[in-house]
mmCIF file of all heavy atoms in Angstrom:
data_model
loop_
_atom_site.group_PDB
_atom_site.id
_atom_site.type_symbol
_atom_site.label_atom_id
_atom_site.label_comp_id
_atom_site.label_asym_id
_atom_site.label_seq_id
_atom_site.Cartn_x
_atom_site.Cartn_y
_atom_site.Cartn_z
ATOM 1 N N ASP A 1442 1.708 9.021 -7.500
ATOM 2 C CA ASP A 1442 2.355 7.915 -8.193
ATOM 3 C C ASP A 1442 3.101 7.058 -7.172
ATOM 4 O O ASP A 1442 4.075 7.526 -6.557
ATOM 5 C CB ASP A 1442 3.335 8.447 -9.236
ATOM 6 C CG ASP A 1442 3.891 7.346 -10.131
ATOM 7 O OD1 ASP A 1442 3.689 6.158 -9.807
ATOM 8 O OD2 ASP A 1442 4.527 7.677 -11.155
ATOM 9 N N PRO A 1443 2.702 5.809 -6.951
ATOM 10 C CA PRO A 1443 3.361 4.989 -5.932
ATOM 11 C C PRO A 1443 4.849 4.766 -6.203
ATOM 12 O O PRO A 1443 5.618 4.546 -5.257
ATOM 13 C CB PRO A 1443 2.590 3.658 -5.988
ATOM 14 C CG PRO A 1443 1.286 3.994 -6.615
ATOM 15 C CD PRO A 1443 1.563 5.108 -7.572
ATOM 16 N N ASP A 1444 5.260 4.821 -7.463
ATOM 17 C CA ASP A 1444 6.670 4.610 -7.772
ATOM 18 C C ASP A 1444 7.556 5.710 -7.203
ATOM 19 O O ASP A 1444 8.777 5.520 -7.074
ATOM 20 C CB ASP A 1444 6.877 4.520 -9.287
ATOM 21 C CG ASP A 1444 6.318 3.229 -9.859
ATOM 22 O OD1 ASP A 1444 6.118 2.278 -9.080
ATOM 23 O OD2 ASP A 1444 6.060 3.179 -11.082
ATOM 24 N N ASN A 1445 6.972 6.854 -6.863
ATOM 25 C CA ASN A 1445 7.759 7.959 -6.314
ATOM 26 C C ASN A 1445 7.975 7.833 -4.811
ATOM 27 O O ASN A 1445 8.713 8.627 -4.230
ATOM 28 C CB ASN A 1445 7.080 9.295 -6.621
ATOM 29 C CG ASN A 1445 7.081 9.607 -8.107
ATOM 30 O OD1 ASN A 1445 7.956 9.155 -8.850
ATOM 31 N ND2 ASN A 1445 6.099 10.373 -8.568
ATOM 32 N N LEU A 1446 7.338 6.854 -4.169
ATOM 33 C CA LEU A 1446 7.534 6.638 -2.740
ATOM 34 C C LEU A 1446 8.858 5.927 -2.485
ATOM 35 O O LEU A 1446 9.327 5.135 -3.319
ATOM 36 C CB LEU A 1446 6.398 5.786 -2.160
ATOM 37 C CG LEU A 1446 4.998 6.392 -2.090
ATOM 38 C CD1 LEU A 1446 4.028 5.355 -1.551
ATOM 39 C CD2 LEU A 1446 4.974 7.645 -1.239
ATOM 40 N N PRO A 1447 9.481 6.172 -1.336
ATOM 41 C CA PRO A 1447 10.653 5.365 -0.956
ATOM 42 C C PRO A 1447 10.267 3.892 -0.877
ATOM 43 O O PRO A 1447 9.125 3.547 -0.561
ATOM 44 C CB PRO A 1447 11.034 5.920 0.416
ATOM 45 C CG PRO A 1447 10.417 7.282 0.470
ATOM 46 C CD PRO A 1447 9.164 7.208 -0.347
ATOM 47 N N GLU A 1448 11.220 3.039 -1.167
ATOM 48 C CA GLU A 1448 10.905 1.607 -1.205
ATOM 49 C C GLU A 1448 10.381 1.099 0.124
ATOM 50 O O GLU A 1448 9.444 0.285 0.172
ATOM 51 C CB GLU A 1448 12.144 0.809 -1.623
ATOM 52 C CG GLU A 1448 11.839 -0.676 -1.804
ATOM 53 C CD GLU A 1448 12.962 -1.401 -2.496
ATOM 54 O OE1 GLU A 1448 14.065 -1.458 -1.931
ATOM 55 O OE2 GLU A 1448 12.726 -1.919 -3.610
ATOM 56 N N ALA A 1449 10.941 1.581 1.232
ATOM 57 C CA ALA A 1449 10.459 1.141 2.542
ATOM 58 C C ALA A 1449 9.001 1.512 2.739
ATOM 59 O O ALA A 1449 8.223 0.757 3.346
ATOM 60 C CB ALA A 1449 11.321 1.757 3.642
ATOM 61 N N GLU A 1450 8.599 2.668 2.203
ATOM 62 C CA GLU A 1450 7.211 3.090 2.313
ATOM 63 C C GLU A 1450 6.299 2.224 1.448
ATOM 64 O O GLU A 1450 5.167 1.904 1.842
ATOM 65 C CB GLU A 1450 7.093 4.562 1.929
ATOM 66 C CG GLU A 1450 5.700 5.146 2.065
ATOM 67 C CD GLU A 1450 5.230 5.228 3.513
ATOM 68 O OE1 GLU A 1450 6.065 5.060 4.426
ATOM 69 O OE2 GLU A 1450 4.029 5.451 3.720
ATOM 70 N N ARG A 1451 6.777 1.836 0.266
ATOM 71 C CA ARG A 1451 5.972 0.955 -0.589
ATOM 72 C C ARG A 1451 5.786 -0.408 0.069
ATOM 73 O O ARG A 1451 4.708 -1.016 -0.014
ATOM 74 C CB ARG A 1451 6.631 0.798 -1.965
ATOM 75 C CG ARG A 1451 6.651 2.070 -2.787
ATOM 76 C CD ARG A 1451 6.892 1.784 -4.258
ATOM 77 N NE ARG A 1451 8.150 1.106 -4.506
ATOM 78 C CZ ARG A 1451 9.308 1.716 -4.709
ATOM 79 N NH1 ARG A 1451 9.366 3.044 -4.668
ATOM 80 N NH2 ARG A 1451 10.409 1.030 -4.943
ATOM 81 N N ILE A 1452 6.831 -0.897 0.724
ATOM 82 C CA ILE A 1452 6.728 -2.185 1.417
ATOM 83 C C ILE A 1452 5.720 -2.090 2.564
ATOM 84 O O ILE A 1452 4.896 -2.987 2.772
ATOM 85 C CB ILE A 1452 8.112 -2.632 1.935
ATOM 86 C CG1 ILE A 1452 9.038 -2.939 0.755
ATOM 87 C CG2 ILE A 1452 7.983 -3.852 2.839
ATOM 88 C CD1 ILE A 1452 10.464 -3.251 1.153
ATOM 89 N N ARG A 1453 5.762 -0.993 3.334
ATOM 90 C CA ARG A 1453 4.824 -0.822 4.433
ATOM 91 C C ARG A 1453 3.394 -0.718 3.921
ATOM 92 O O ARG A 1453 2.466 -1.317 4.480
ATOM 93 C CB ARG A 1453 5.179 0.437 5.224
ATOM 94 C CG ARG A 1453 4.324 0.611 6.491
ATOM 95 C CD ARG A 1453 4.427 2.017 7.027
ATOM 96 N NE ARG A 1453 3.855 2.992 6.106
ATOM 97 C CZ ARG A 1453 2.547 3.214 5.983
ATOM 98 N NH1 ARG A 1453 1.669 2.514 6.690
ATOM 99 N NH2 ARG A 1453 2.103 4.119 5.129
ATOM 100 N N LEU A 1454 3.208 0.030 2.826
ATOM 101 C CA LEU A 1454 1.868 0.186 2.252
ATOM 102 C C LEU A 1454 1.350 -1.146 1.727
ATOM 103 O O LEU A 1454 0.163 -1.467 1.888
ATOM 104 C CB LEU A 1454 1.911 1.222 1.122
ATOM 105 C CG LEU A 1454 0.574 1.630 0.500
ATOM 106 C CD1 LEU A 1454 -0.359 2.199 1.558
ATOM 107 C CD2 LEU A 1454 0.802 2.650 -0.604
ATOM 108 N N ASN A 1455 2.218 -1.944 1.149
ATOM 109 C CA ASN A 1455 1.799 -3.260 0.658
ATOM 110 C C ASN A 1455 1.442 -4.179 1.825
ATOM 111 O O ASN A 1455 0.492 -4.967 1.733
ATOM 112 C CB ASN A 1455 2.910 -3.885 -0.168
ATOM 113 C CG ASN A 1455 2.486 -5.189 -0.819
ATOM 114 O OD1 ASN A 1455 1.739 -5.216 -1.781
ATOM 115 N ND2 ASN A 1455 2.981 -6.302 -0.284
ATOM 116 N N ARG A 1456 2.180 -4.047 2.923
ATOM 117 C CA ARG A 1456 1.875 -4.866 4.097
ATOM 118 C C ARG A 1456 0.495 -4.516 4.642
ATOM 119 O O ARG A 1456 -0.274 -5.393 5.039
ATOM 120 C CB ARG A 1456 2.950 -4.650 5.162
ATOM 121 C CG ARG A 1456 2.845 -5.633 6.344
ATOM 122 C CD ARG A 1456 3.926 -5.377 7.374
ATOM 123 N NE ARG A 1456 5.249 -5.494 6.783
ATOM 124 C CZ ARG A 1456 6.112 -4.476 6.671
ATOM 125 N NH1 ARG A 1456 5.776 -3.278 7.098
ATOM 126 N NH2 ARG A 1456 7.305 -4.661 6.139
ATOM 127 N N ASP A 1457 0.165 -3.233 4.652
ATOM 128 C CA ASP A 1457 -1.169 -2.819 5.105
ATOM 129 C C ASP A 1457 -2.250 -3.367 4.183
ATOM 130 O O ASP A 1457 -3.320 -3.789 4.629
ATOM 131 C CB ASP A 1457 -1.260 -1.295 5.150
ATOM 132 C CG ASP A 1457 -0.404 -0.689 6.253
ATOM 133 O OD1 ASP A 1457 0.041 -1.443 7.144
ATOM 134 O OD2 ASP A 1457 -0.156 0.530 6.201
ATOM 135 N N ALA A 1458 -1.971 -3.355 2.873
ATOM 136 C CA ALA A 1458 -2.960 -3.837 1.904
ATOM 137 C C ALA A 1458 -3.142 -5.339 1.974
ATOM 138 O O ALA A 1458 -4.186 -5.857 1.566
ATOM 139 C CB ALA A 1458 -2.543 -3.425 0.495
ATOM 140 N N GLU A 1459 -2.140 -6.052 2.487
ATOM 141 C CA GLU A 1459 -2.210 -7.515 2.543
ATOM 142 C C GLU A 1459 -2.786 -8.030 3.845
ATOM 143 O O GLU A 1459 -2.803 -9.241 4.073
ATOM 144 C CB GLU A 1459 -0.818 -8.117 2.329
ATOM 145 C CG GLU A 1459 -0.343 -8.063 0.876
ATOM 146 C CD GLU A 1459 0.977 -8.772 0.692
ATOM 147 O OE1 GLU A 1459 1.764 -8.829 1.662
ATOM 148 O OE2 GLU A 1459 1.223 -9.279 -0.419
ATOM 149 N N ILE A 1460 -3.264 -7.132 4.714
ATOM 150 C CA ILE A 1460 -3.823 -7.588 5.985
ATOM 151 C C ILE A 1460 -4.994 -8.530 5.748
ATOM 152 O O ILE A 1460 -5.103 -9.597 6.339
ATOM 153 C CB ILE A 1460 -4.261 -6.372 6.840
ATOM 154 C CG1 ILE A 1460 -3.021 -5.601 7.305
ATOM 155 C CG2 ILE A 1460 -5.079 -6.834 8.035
ATOM 156 C CD1 ILE A 1460 -3.349 -4.357 8.102
ATOM 157 N N ALA A 1461 -5.895 -8.127 4.871
ATOM 158 C CA ALA A 1461 -7.037 -9.003 4.537
ATOM 159 C C ALA A 1461 -6.614 -10.090 3.564
ATOM 160 O O ALA A 1461 -7.084 -11.220 3.641
ATOM 161 C CB ALA A 1461 -8.176 -8.193 3.942
ATOM 162 N N ASP A 1462 -5.717 -9.750 2.635
ATOM 163 C CA ASP A 1462 -5.209 -10.698 1.646
ATOM 164 C C ASP A 1462 -6.354 -11.395 0.900
ATOM 165 O O ASP A 1462 -6.370 -12.611 0.732
ATOM 166 C CB ASP A 1462 -4.298 -11.739 2.302
ATOM 167 C CG ASP A 1462 -3.466 -12.515 1.262
ATOM 168 O OD1 ASP A 1462 -3.246 -11.960 0.172
ATOM 169 O OD2 ASP A 1462 -3.060 -13.644 1.561
ATOM 170 N N GLN A 1463 -7.335 -10.608 0.462
ATOM 171 C CA GLN A 1463 -8.469 -11.144 -0.273
ATOM 172 C C GLN A 1463 -8.509 -10.507 -1.660
ATOM 173 O O GLN A 1463 -8.330 -9.290 -1.789
ATOM 174 C CB GLN A 1463 -9.783 -10.853 0.466
ATOM 175 C CG GLN A 1463 -9.890 -11.503 1.833
ATOM 176 C CD GLN A 1463 -9.954 -13.010 1.744
ATOM 177 O OE1 GLN A 1463 -10.485 -13.559 0.783
ATOM 178 N NE2 GLN A 1463 -9.430 -13.686 2.751
ATOM 179 N N PRO A 1464 -8.746 -11.306 -2.713
ATOM 180 C CA PRO A 1464 -8.786 -10.739 -4.075
ATOM 181 C C PRO A 1464 -9.986 -9.851 -4.337
ATOM 182 O O PRO A 1464 -10.038 -9.170 -5.356
ATOM 183 C CB PRO A 1464 -8.830 -11.984 -4.969
ATOM 184 C CG PRO A 1464 -9.434 -13.056 -4.109
ATOM 185 C CD PRO A 1464 -8.957 -12.758 -2.718
ATOM 186 N N ASP A 1465 -10.969 -9.848 -3.408
ATOM 187 C CA ASP A 1465 -12.146 -9.000 -3.599
ATOM 188 C C ASP A 1465 -12.027 -7.692 -2.829
ATOM 189 O O ASP A 1465 -13.024 -6.978 -2.663
ATOM 190 C CB ASP A 1465 -13.408 -9.749 -3.162
ATOM 191 C CG ASP A 1465 -13.373 -10.138 -1.690
ATOM 192 O OD1 ASP A 1465 -12.293 -10.559 -1.227
ATOM 193 O OD2 ASP A 1465 -14.395 -10.035 -1.000
ATOM 194 N N GLU A 1466 -10.831 -7.357 -2.357
ATOM 195 C CA GLU A 1466 -10.615 -6.107 -1.646
ATOM 196 C C GLU A 1466 -9.528 -5.299 -2.349
ATOM 197 O O GLU A 1466 -8.553 -5.861 -2.851
ATOM 198 C CB GLU A 1466 -10.220 -6.359 -0.191
ATOM 199 C CG GLU A 1466 -11.329 -7.030 0.617
ATOM 200 C CD GLU A 1466 -11.049 -6.997 2.106
ATOM 201 O OE1 GLU A 1466 -10.008 -6.441 2.504
ATOM 202 O OE2 GLU A 1466 -11.876 -7.520 2.872
ATOM 203 N N ILE A 1467 -9.705 -3.991 -2.385
ATOM 204 C CA ILE A 1467 -8.723 -3.115 -3.002
ATOM 205 C C ILE A 1467 -8.451 -1.953 -2.052
ATOM 206 O O ILE A 1467 -9.372 -1.346 -1.502
ATOM 207 C CB ILE A 1467 -9.196 -2.612 -4.380
ATOM 208 C CG1 ILE A 1467 -8.108 -1.765 -5.041
ATOM 209 C CG2 ILE A 1467 -10.508 -1.863 -4.298
ATOM 210 C CD1 ILE A 1467 -8.358 -1.514 -6.514
ATOM 211 N N ALA A 1468 -7.170 -1.684 -1.840
ATOM 212 C CA ALA A 1468 -6.752 -0.670 -0.879
ATOM 213 C C ALA A 1468 -6.857 0.734 -1.488
ATOM 214 O O ALA A 1468 -6.722 0.916 -2.696
ATOM 215 C CB ALA A 1468 -5.329 -0.947 -0.413
ATOM 216 N N VAL A 1469 -7.069 1.705 -0.614
ATOM 217 C CA VAL A 1469 -7.144 3.112 -0.999
ATOM 218 C C VAL A 1469 -6.225 3.898 -0.067
ATOM 219 O O VAL A 1469 -6.260 3.703 1.161
ATOM 220 C CB VAL A 1469 -8.583 3.661 -0.898
ATOM 221 C CG1 VAL A 1469 -8.635 5.112 -1.348
ATOM 222 C CG2 VAL A 1469 -9.537 2.816 -1.728
ATOM 223 N N ASP A 1470 -5.415 4.785 -0.636
ATOM 224 C CA ASP A 1470 -4.534 5.622 0.167
ATOM 225 C C ASP A 1470 -4.491 7.020 -0.446
ATOM 226 O O ASP A 1470 -3.730 7.277 -1.375
ATOM 227 C CB ASP A 1470 -3.128 5.014 0.236
ATOM 228 C CG ASP A 1470 -2.219 5.779 1.194
ATOM 229 O OD1 ASP A 1470 -2.660 6.062 2.319
ATOM 230 O OD2 ASP A 1470 -1.071 6.098 0.804
ATOM 231 N N ILE A 1471 -5.341 7.902 0.043
ATOM 232 C CA ILE A 1471 -5.391 9.293 -0.410
ATOM 233 C C ILE A 1471 -4.677 10.140 0.641
ATOM 234 O O ILE A 1471 -5.121 10.220 1.793
ATOM 235 C CB ILE A 1471 -6.853 9.773 -0.603
ATOM 236 C CG1 ILE A 1471 -7.583 8.853 -1.583
ATOM 237 C CG2 ILE A 1471 -6.877 11.208 -1.085
ATOM 238 C CD1 ILE A 1471 -6.969 8.771 -2.960
ATOM 239 N N ARG A 1472 -3.568 10.771 0.240
ATOM 240 C CA ARG A 1472 -2.704 11.454 1.201
ATOM 241 C C ARG A 1472 -2.780 12.963 1.065
ATOM 242 O O ARG A 1472 -3.119 13.502 0.019
ATOM 243 C CB ARG A 1472 -1.253 11.007 0.992
ATOM 244 C CG ARG A 1472 -1.036 9.520 1.202
ATOM 245 C CD ARG A 1472 0.431 9.182 1.219
ATOM 246 N NE ARG A 1472 0.642 7.771 1.548
ATOM 247 C CZ ARG A 1472 1.831 7.237 1.816
ATOM 248 N NH1 ARG A 1472 2.926 8.009 1.756
ATOM 249 N NH2 ARG A 1472 1.953 5.965 2.113
ATOM 250 N N LYS A 1473 -2.428 13.600 2.170
ATOM 251 C CA LYS A 1473 -2.310 15.058 2.166
ATOM 252 C C LYS A 1473 -1.173 15.473 1.236
ATOM 253 O O LYS A 1473 -0.324 14.661 0.860
ATOM 254 C CB LYS A 1473 -2.043 15.566 3.578
ATOM 255 C CG LYS A 1473 -3.165 15.293 4.567
ATOM 256 C CD LYS A 1473 -2.809 15.824 5.947
ATOM 257 C CE LYS A 1473 -3.937 15.560 6.934
ATOM 258 N NZ LYS A 1473 -3.596 16.060 8.296
#
């Protein structure tokens, strides 16, 4: 659940997802 991440981590993850900044791309983050 992304809401359970610290806010700084959510911001970093969103920054990674916005690298392409294209509406036809969707990020995936499967963690240990």
Side-chain angles (χ1 to χ4, degrees):
D1442 188 349
D1444 289 341
N1445 293 333
L1446 292 177
E1448 185 168 63
E1450 183 67 13
R1451 293 198 300 272
I1452 293 174
R1453 186 196 65 79
L1454 186 58
N1455 186 74
R1456 189 180 301 115
D1457 291 346
E1459 285 185 332
I1460 291 178
D1462 195 25
Q1463 297 294 328
D1465 61 319
E1466 295 193 1
I1467 183 166
V1469 182
D1470 186 47
I1471 303 301
R1472 299 190 175 190
K1473 297 180 180 179

